[in-house]
Amino acid sequence: MDASTIAAYDRSVPRYTSYPTAAQFHGAVGAVQHKAWLGDLDRACSTVYLHVPFCARLCWYCACHTAAMNRAESLGSYARALAKEIDLVAEAVPGMMVGQIQWGGGTPSQLGAANLVAVAKRLAARFDRRSGSETSMEVDPRFCDEEHVATMRDIGVDRVSLGVQDFSAHVQRAIGRIQPFATVERAMGLLREAGVSSINLDLMYGLPHQSERDVRRTARLATLLAPERLALFGYAHVPWMRPNQKMIDDASLPGPAERLDQSEAARQVLLANGYVGIGLDHFARPDDPLARAAAARQLKRNFQGYTADRADVLVGLGASAISRFPQGFTQNAPDSASYQRAIDAGGFSTVRGIAFTADDIKRGAFIERLMCDLEVYLDPPTLADAAPRLADLMADGLLTIEGRRVAMTAVGRPFVRLAAAALDHRLQAVAARHSAAV
Ligand code: SF4
């Protein structure tokens, strides 16, 4: 594809980890709605997500809801708020059945062993864990020592996601995160010894001073560690939203065509090493549940990316956490102080959300299938509405429309978010808030 075509599509569009996207949430949906939607839950299994918005220090490239926090007192009071929120949910949904528990952040282990164990005990005491359920955790390899791994084993973590980004020393210096290959290798060894059965590695392209050679080498080294899964994300440079990214010089960033080449180079290395491509940016061993879900067209997409988790309900706990109910989304207060104040006062901290319309549910299902399967069968009204907005992508060979089937071509796969945007009725003049499309 020529550079001018790539540049023409270098637009800001959402990542479509949800529909409606978080940019559409508003303050008319709050704690009252959150509690009511919890109360309406039936006996179906829910997934619980716990957000820990703290890290030892901030990486320059980070776009997560997190802050540097090392004070034991503050970490302890946040853990107590999480435990109280678990009680509030359990009171609203007595005997709530829980399939997966997902710890994300930030760096969940930053809470410390005693706090993690206390929260995990409260989860076990107040919710009905299903057999075969899983507990996953995002882990920073720089802080993954014997003690941390022992705590993870105590609280039943069996899936781990490790942030790698790039193994090259000059890229690590440019993103404020020094983490040599040996550090990741050691963390993986400890996790494997502790019986963690599934490890995901997050890689990144589009980072400052990163070349295609760096990306290819990182992908190759990552495969030597034999993770079950890998994710390959494009760096999103949004310093106006994330002040820590101001440490990164705009001029050091690869342009749209280089980003596309980097993403493709890493993809080819991973495919050549036996991984199968899943959706836009994930890879897995062919026998991994994620690959099997993709092959069966049962893959789902949530705020953590692609998942084989079948639960329709996600209960988010902690600052900024988002919950998904059959009726809509709710989001907790974004900063940990407001979150804790609300919880300490005895109520939920929900500050915004959105109730689904029938059109949202229909379009959300279409967008999820397109993002997961890279193809979707639309109903005639949606197709008629979207076709004019898909015309350019089709003319440039990035997608095909045959009957009701809209499918990304092989070369068009990285542009799937642009096709999803054509189905997004709510997308308004918020382009600047989102990251680059590829
Ligand atoms: S990249 Fe990970 S470790 Fe670094 S600041 Fe963000 S959440 Fe924390």
Side-chain angles (χ1 to χ4, degrees):
M1 194 185 308
D2 63 81
S4 63
T5 307
I6 295 167
Y9 288 118
D10 185 32
R11 290 201 292 269
S12 296
V13 285
R15 293 188 175 278
Y16 292 110
T17 51
S18 71
Y19 185 79
T21 64
Q24 303 294 334
F25 294 3
H26 53 76
V29 171
V32 171
Q33 196 73 78
H34 181 74
K35 191 173 178 185
W37 286 347
L38 277 170
D40 286 345
L41 288 183
D42 58 21
R43 294 286 296 160
C45 231
S46 302
T47 292
V48 170
Y49 171 78
L50 298 106
H51 190 75
V52 179
F54 304 122
C55 296
R57 52 184 172 270
L58 279 192
C59 308
W60 299 343
Y61 69 96
C62 182
C64 299
H65 274 291
T66 193
M69 172 56 68
N70 294 284
R71 280 200 311 272
E73 194 184 317
S74 302
L75 296 166
S77 72
Y78 186 80
R80 285 191 292 280
L82 280 179
K84 271 194 197 169
E85 194 179 14
I86 291 167
D87 288 344
L88 288 172
V89 172
E91 282 156 22
V93 200
M96 186 170 87
M97 288 196 292
V98 173
Q100 295 203 11
I101 290 177
Q102 302 169 349
W103 290 86
T107 308
S109 65
Q110 189 66 10
L111 273 189
N115 289 327
L116 283 173
V117 169
V119 175
K121 278 189 176 158
R122 190 69 63 94
L123 285 168
R126 301 304 307 256
F127 297 145
D128 179 3
R129 288 300 299 274
R130 299 284 90 186
S131 63
S133 62
E134 295 172 343
T135 300
S136 61
M137 186 177 275
E138 291 171 9
V139 171
D140 183 335
R142 296 171 300 171
F143 302 102
C144 183
D145 56 17
E146 283 87 350
E147 190 196 334
H148 282 114
V149 171
T151 305
M152 280 186 253
R153 191 174 42 212
D154 289 348
I155 66 173
V157 173
D158 43 18
R159 284 187 176 276
V160 161
S161 185
L162 290 170
V164 167
Q165 329 318 335
D166 190 298
F167 283 121
S168 316
H170 67 279
V171 177
Q172 294 187 356
R173 277 196 300 275
I175 61 174
R177 178 165 170 155
I178 304 300
Q179 179 184 285
F181 178 81
T183 302
V184 181
E185 188 179 33
R186 178 168 182 275
M188 283 192 70
L190 292 173
L191 292 165
R192 294 288 192 207
E193 272 171 34
V196 171
S197 58
S198 178
I199 298 181
N200 171 81
L201 298 184
D202 282 346
L203 311 183
M204 247 185 193
Y205 64 89
L207 291 168
H209 300 294
Q210 192 181 30
S211 68
E212 188 181 321
R213 186 164 168 270
D214 296 325
V215 172
R216 193 177 287 122
R217 173 176 168 272
T218 293
R220 194 164 34 77
L221 288 171
T223 65
L224 296 180
L225 296 169
E228 281 70 23
R229 300 178 185 175
L230 298 113
L232 176 66
F233 299 122
Y235 167 60
H237 192 56
V238 285
W240 56 94
M241 285 170 65
R242 303 288 172 195
N244 51 305
Q245 292 187 349
K246 289 182 183 153
M247 296 294 290
I248 293 176
D249 179 5
D250 295 12
S252 67
L253 295 170
E258 283 172 281
R259 284 171 64 96
L260 202 58
D261 287 347
Q262 291 179 356
S263 149
E264 188 55 25
R267 177 180 176 80
Q268 290 308 326
V269 171
L270 300 179
L271 296 179
N273 280 276
Y275 291 90
V276 294
I278 291 167
L280 174 63
D281 48 19
H282 281 46
F283 299 83
R285 295 246 167 249
D287 58 351
D288 185 272
L290 202 64
R292 290 205 300 269
R297 296 289 196 256
Q298 290 174 341
L299 195 65
K300 299 188 85 165
R301 189 153 169 85
N302 67 16
F303 297 100
Q304 275 71 53
Y306 292 106
T307 176
D309 179 15
R310 305 286 292 279
D312 285 329
V313 174
L314 175 75
V315 177
L317 306 175
S320 81
I322 294 175
S323 298
R324 185 191 202 282
F325 299 101
Q327 302 96 326
F329 293 113
T330 57
Q331 183 169 26
N332 287 350
D335 65 292
S336 60
S338 317
Y339 162 74
Q340 289 178 73
R341 265 198 306 277
I343 298 291
D344 286 344
F348 289 105
S349 74
T350 320
V351 289
R352 59 191 202 129
I354 196 164
F356 297 145
T357 63
D359 188 66
D360 290 334
I361 292 171
K362 181 179 80 169
R363 287 175 185 276
F366 287 147
I367 287 172
E368 185 173 44
R369 291 305 358 121
L370 181 60
M371 293 297 298
C372 289
D373 304 337
L374 303 176
E375 65 172 18
V376 61
Y377 290 82
L378 298 176
D379 63 358
T382 308
L383 181 60
D385 173 62
R389 289 191 293 276
L390 294 169
D392 285 351
L393 292 167
M394 193 161 73
D396 286 322
L398 303 178
L399 65 75
T400 57
I401 302 179
E402 289 165 18
R404 294 189 300 112
R405 179 175 177 264
V406 174
M408 306 309 296
T409 61
V411 67
R413 184 190 42 76
F415 300 88
V416 64
R417 289 164 57 195
L418 289 168
L423 306 179
D424 179 350
H425 245 193
R426 290 176 173 270
L427 186 63
Q428 294 156 0
V430 290
R433 291 195 221 154
H434 300 293
S435 56
V438 284

